[in-house]
Amino acid sequence: FGRMLYARQTFADFAQRFAERAKRIRVGDPMDEQTIVGPMISQGHLAKVRSYIELGPKEGATLIAGGLAAPELPVAMQRGNFVLPTVFADVANGMRIAHEEIFGPVACLIPFTDEADTIAQANDIAYGLSSYVWSENIGRAMRVAAAIEAGMCFVNSQNVRDLRQPFGGTKASGTGREGGTWSYEVFLEPKNVCVSLGSHHIPHWGA
């Protein structure tokens, strides 16, 4: 998951709806086609993700979905490396759960006031691999996409990876690009902006 910035004016309603969707995401056996979130790769990584979930409330974030307790999971899964999709609201951009890479199903919801504020918060991080912009105003979406310091930006879409597109990040997320002829230009930082025209399938997990 990661950081998710949303307009402050409707943040409370969005956070509630997002948490409800997260609670419906299926956790389970990765061999089951109905599974959306499988186990963490190792016990060590499980411990890392759990440590961030424990840290969130200590930093002042509000846990609104998921967390460490998972009584609804089968007993066998409770003994595995499973983490429920977890959502924190009231997250400040300076918190560790927002600034550090968790690499687990943990979403940090951060309110913003206007376009300048969301760009500033989006860029106030050491990493810059992938970003996503959702807006009905394509002009605003393109302005924000251009301003975000990330190697890839997907507009109104999830990550649509085409192997011919440049793949890679900025800042602490790496140098250079993979994919097509971009692989030769390892000392550059081109940006990939993808705009959905509504013609491809977007999964609605938890709907």
Side-chain angles (χ1 to χ4, degrees):
F1 292 168
R3 298 184 305 157
M4 300 186 66
L5 282 74
Y6 197 84
R8 187 178 299 276
Q9 299 91 317
T10 54
F11 182 81
D13 181 63
F14 165 74
Q16 179 183 353
R17 291 171 180 265
F18 187 90
E20 291 171 354
R21 293 274 295 262
K23 292 174 184 177
R24 292 196 291 266
I25 293 176
R26 181 166 177 173
V27 180
D29 185 345
M31 301 302 291
D32 185 343
E33 293 184 356
Q34 301 301 314
T35 293
I36 301 300
V37 176
M40 301 297 98
I41 191 66
S42 67
Q43 289 186 342
H45 188 63
L46 173 68
K48 174 188 175 183
V49 174
R50 289 174 64 92
S51 72
Y52 280 106
I53 296 175
E54 291 176 339
L55 176 63
K58 296 177 183 178
E59 291 192 301
T62 303
L63 179 69
I64 59 175
L68 297 179
E72 62 269 41
L73 294 179
V75 174
M77 289 177 59
Q78 291 185 33
R79 293 196 299 266
N81 296 341
F82 294 93
V83 176
L84 289 177
T86 298
V87 182
F88 285 109
D90 305 317
V91 177
N93 201 45
M95 294 179 180
R96 284 182 56 197
I97 58 171
H99 257 261
E100 299 179 11
E101 293 186 316
I102 300 176
F103 285 113
V106 180
C108 297
L109 308 186
I110 304 172
F112 67 83
T113 55
D114 55 24
E115 185 176 319
D117 182 42
T118 190
I119 292 171
Q121 291 198 73
N123 291 339
D124 182 23
I125 193 170
Y127 305 101
L129 179 57
S130 187
S131 60
Y132 306 83
V133 175
W134 295 83
S135 176
E136 294 180 348
N137 184 324
I138 194 63
R140 172 175 292 173
M142 294 302 290
R143 285 196 308 272
V144 173
I148 290 178
E149 297 168 355
M152 299 177 289
C153 185
F154 299 89
V155 177
N156 294 341
S157 173
Q158 86 282 17
N159 188 325
V160 183
R161 179 77 199 280
D162 186 313
L163 295 179
R164 296 166 296 183
Q165 296 173 336
F167 176 89
T170 62
K171 299 190 279 191
S173 293
T175 302
R177 296 293 179 271
E178 303 172 3
T181 58
W182 300 100
S183 300
Y184 302 119
E185 303 181 23
V186 295
F187 299 105
L188 302 179
E189 291 185 343
K191 175 176 287 187
N192 171 28
V193 176
C194 295
V195 179
S196 170
L197 300 179
S199 59
H200 74 281
H201 173 67
I202 298 177
H204 295 276
W205 295 342

